[in-house]
Amino acid sequence: MADQTCSISGLSALLSTAGSSNATGAAQYICSQLKTAALITADLTTAIDATFLLFSTYLVFAMQLGFAMLCAGSVRAKNTLNIMLTNVLDAAAGALFYYLFGFAFAFGSPSNGFIGHHFFALKSVPSPGFDYPYFLFQWAFAIAAAGITSGSIAERTQFVSYLIYSSFLTGFVYPIVSHWFWSADGWAAANRNPNDSLLFGSGAIDFAGSGVVHMVGGIAGLWAALIEGPRIGRFDHNGQPVALRGHSATLVVLGSFMLWFGWYGFNPGSFVTIAKSYGPVGSPINGQWSAIGRTAVTTTLAGCTSALTTLFGKRLQTGHWNVIDVCNGLLGGFAAITAGCAVVEPWAAVICGFVAAWVLIGFNRLAERFQYDDPLEAAQLHGGCGSWGVLFAGLFAKKEFVEEAYPGRPGRPYGLFMGGGGRLLAANVVQMLVIAGWVSATMGPLFFFLHKMGLLRISAEDELAGLDLTNHGGGAYVYYDEDASGGGSHGGGFMMKGVNSRVDPRLTPTSSIEV
């Protein structure tokens, strides 16, 4: 009777007719209609959650455009094509390897605590708990980690090494880390299966990936840049730093705003679902939708506080108002809040952003002292601020928010400064140590092997000339007028600026903008 239309007239006819058989029929009719309504509601809830997750995925994927623009603006014009191509291939190669191996290693359940071993090439997907939108969301996170690393070794790396490390990172290294801390089978996950014990009775809380994404990408970039060494001319004969400025502050600001926009999918989207109530039915505020909004607020406040702190901090150091520093400070605040965004109060996010700015400034000073060269400040920003974010979550996580984000285990530990003891902080310290160890043990030897095989760094001649000219058939920009007759050697070029002669790329630029 489930296909009947639930109508007042039909139900009245049944109830008004004498006889127990009709009363039974009325009850069956009502129950069947309620059951149908419940099934329709469940389908609708699933559709709403899937739509929310897909929309968040698209926002996270838009961060690839932000990375591409940020990287392009931060390098010299002669390397623009190269760095943008690496960003495209991070996504393209990452999609294939995450599809074949990465998703299975990360979330292939049931599995052991170290590595997943189901869903290779999405076999048996969709299945309960794992549908295509979830795969796409996790892929967007994986390629974000690879994009972080590419910035650390910009302007001096052979193209083939990008393909090798990016595939290895997205197909194996990153998925193992995400399995440990995000899979229900992971040995240190805060959302571990109910029957499994939690690390220190808590599990490591890294809600959206200060450690899983940003530390992984930053530490991989750290090893790559250390093994490669600094760019030619980055430090003088006395070891003093020499600014090799990026060619476009405009692209840096554009990329930063795109990343800001994408972070609203990165952090709030990590809830995965939105149609979930925490309190009585009908309450407008006791639901996951409210927690998602709060997560967007904490993300915003941390980034903005870090940007302003960096602005004035660098002003005291250099005497200038530098938009590039402000953009990096903004992103450092976002990287830091990512771990605790869902479990802290907005006021705590302000503290997170303030400290993140000084972490970034401090690591940049250390990088200069030890002649470490990272054109995007990726290791300092993502590795350093990401590490602070993991600690921050262990200090400021609020009990109520922790139990909402990780339900099913009442009385679990929360932030040290919020009265929850030190077990959550201890779990997060373990997370920091194992991520640093795992990435160092895997990506470090890979980059060292590529270096020894002569596959990592380009020649000095190619570096001085620029990767665009030597590896990609020309520059991203054309600095001459199209020949009027159309038959000259430069015919068909896009007109941007007319000069009488082309600039020899091997000459050291004298202007403030490096080309």
Side-chain angles (χ1 to χ4, degrees):
M1 301 179 68
D3 59 345
Q4 293 187 19
T5 301
C6 185
S7 63
I8 295 178
S9 58
L11 186 58
S12 298
L14 287 170
L15 293 175
S16 61
T17 304
S20 60
S21 60
N22 285 320
T24 301
Q28 290 176 341
Y29 178 84
I30 294 172
C31 289
S32 66
Q33 294 305 312
L34 289 175
K35 182 178 180 181
T36 300
L39 293 174
I40 293 174
T41 301
D43 287 345
L44 183 60
T45 300
T46 301
I48 292 172
D49 288 338
T51 301
F52 167 72
L53 185 59
L54 284 172
F55 180 72
S56 298
T57 300
Y58 305 149
L59 288 177
V60 177
F61 182 71
M63 296 176 77
Q64 289 302 117
L65 174 59
F67 278 126
M69 295 300 98
L70 179 69
C71 291
S74 299
V75 302
R76 290 164 289 180
K78 62 184 180 182
N79 297 307
T80 307
L81 277 181
N82 174 263
I83 195 66
M84 288 197 293
L85 182 57
T86 62
N87 276 271
V88 174
L89 290 178
D90 282 337
L96 183 61
F97 281 88
Y98 198 73
Y99 159 73
L100 291 173
F101 312 109
F103 186 74
F105 290 150
F107 298 102
S109 182
S111 67
N112 56 55
F114 178 77
I115 189 171
H117 46 78
H118 291 89
F119 307 142
F120 290 99
L122 294 186
K123 184 179 180 181
S124 301
V125 173
S127 65
F130 293 98
D131 206 345
Y132 295 112
Y134 189 71
F135 161 78
L136 204 66
F137 184 69
Q138 294 299 335
W139 159 73
F141 272 65
I143 61 175
I148 291 168
T149 305
S150 65
S152 295
I153 53 178
E155 299 201 288
R156 61 200 189 275
T157 305
Q158 291 192 45
F159 185 69
V160 64
S161 66
Y162 279 112
L163 295 175
I164 294 172
Y165 93 76
S166 180
S167 301
F168 185 59
L169 184 66
T170 55
F172 182 70
V173 177
Y174 167 82
I176 299 299
V177 176
S178 56
H179 179 81
W180 292 348
F181 301 106
W182 285 349
S183 170
D185 298 313
W187 63 270
N191 62 329
R192 208 171 184 207
N193 290 315
N195 296 328
D196 297 330
S197 61
L198 296 175
L199 178 66
F200 298 124
S202 168
I205 290 183
D206 184 8
F207 187 75
S210 288
V212 174
V213 178
H214 294 283
M215 280 189 67
V216 168
I219 294 173
L222 172 67
W223 282 107
L226 283 174
I227 292 170
E228 274 198 307
R231 293 167 290 173
I232 295 174
R234 179 65 178 90
F235 298 94
D236 63 20
H237 296 297
N238 297 319
Q240 296 301 309
V242 177
L244 299 181
R245 296 182 178 89
H247 80 282
S248 176
T250 303
L251 290 179
V252 171
V253 173
L254 173 63
S256 299
F257 271 112
M258 284 300 304
L259 288 168
W260 188 342
F261 178 65
W263 237 291
Y264 291 129
F266 204 93
N267 287 3
S270 292
F271 275 96
V272 180
T273 62
I274 190 172
K276 178 181 178 181
S277 176
Y278 296 150
V281 176
S283 173
I285 58 174
N286 292 323
Q288 196 142 282
W289 50 87
S290 180
I292 288 170
R294 185 187 65 246
T295 301
V297 170
T298 58
T299 301
T300 303
L301 292 176
C304 293
T305 302
S306 184
L308 291 172
T309 305
T310 304
L311 173 69
F312 289 102
K314 295 295 289 186
R315 166 72 175 179
L316 293 174
Q317 286 185 326
T318 66
H320 302 292
W321 307 102
N322 193 318
V323 66
I324 305 299
D325 291 332
V326 171
C327 287
N328 285 335
L330 175 80
L331 301 179
F334 288 150
I337 193 62
T338 296
C341 56
V343 294
V344 300
E345 291 276 13
W347 61 263
V350 174
I351 297 174
C352 177
F354 179 80
V355 175
W358 293 109
V359 169
L360 178 60
I361 292 171
F363 274 110
N364 280 334
R365 291 293 294 272
L366 284 175
E368 291 183 351
R369 175 171 296 184
F370 290 100
Q371 298 187 28
Y372 171 79
D373 181 23
D374 186 329
L376 272 293
E377 301 179 6
Q380 302 94 297
L381 193 160
H382 298 278
C385 295
S387 298
W388 155 241
V390 173
L391 292 176
F392 166 78
L395 295 172
F396 288 94
K398 185 178 178 180
K399 178 181 180 181
E400 175 189 351
F401 298 160
V402 169
E403 292 180 350
E404 288 175 353
Y406 301 95
R409 304 208 188 199
R412 65 188 304 154
Y414 50 100
L416 175 65
F417 290 168
M418 306 300 288
R423 287 185 291 168
L424 172 58
L425 178 62
N428 281 20
V429 169
V430 169
Q431 178 191 11
M432 288 176 53
L433 295 176
V434 297
I435 288 177
W438 170 252
V439 178
S440 297
T442 51
M443 298 302 295
L446 174 65
F447 285 119
F448 184 75
F449 173 77
L450 292 173
H451 173 66
K452 287 301 183 180
M453 294 295 294
L455 298 174
L456 187 58
R457 183 152 185 165
I458 60 176
S459 66
E461 293 78 10
D462 285 357
E463 185 174 343
L464 289 171
L467 283 161
D468 290 359
L469 180 63
T470 58
N471 285 258
H472 305 290
Y477 309 105
V478 180
Y479 294 98
Y480 50 81
D481 288 327
E482 182 179 12
D483 184 74
S485 64
S489 62
H490 304 314
F494 180 75
M495 294 186 295
M496 289 190 64
K497 183 174 71 172
V499 295
N500 293 326
S501 62
R502 298 191 67 181
V503 178
D504 186 348
R506 292 172 176 79
L507 296 178
T508 301
T510 58
S511 66
S512 61
I513 300 297
E514 300 288 345
V515 296

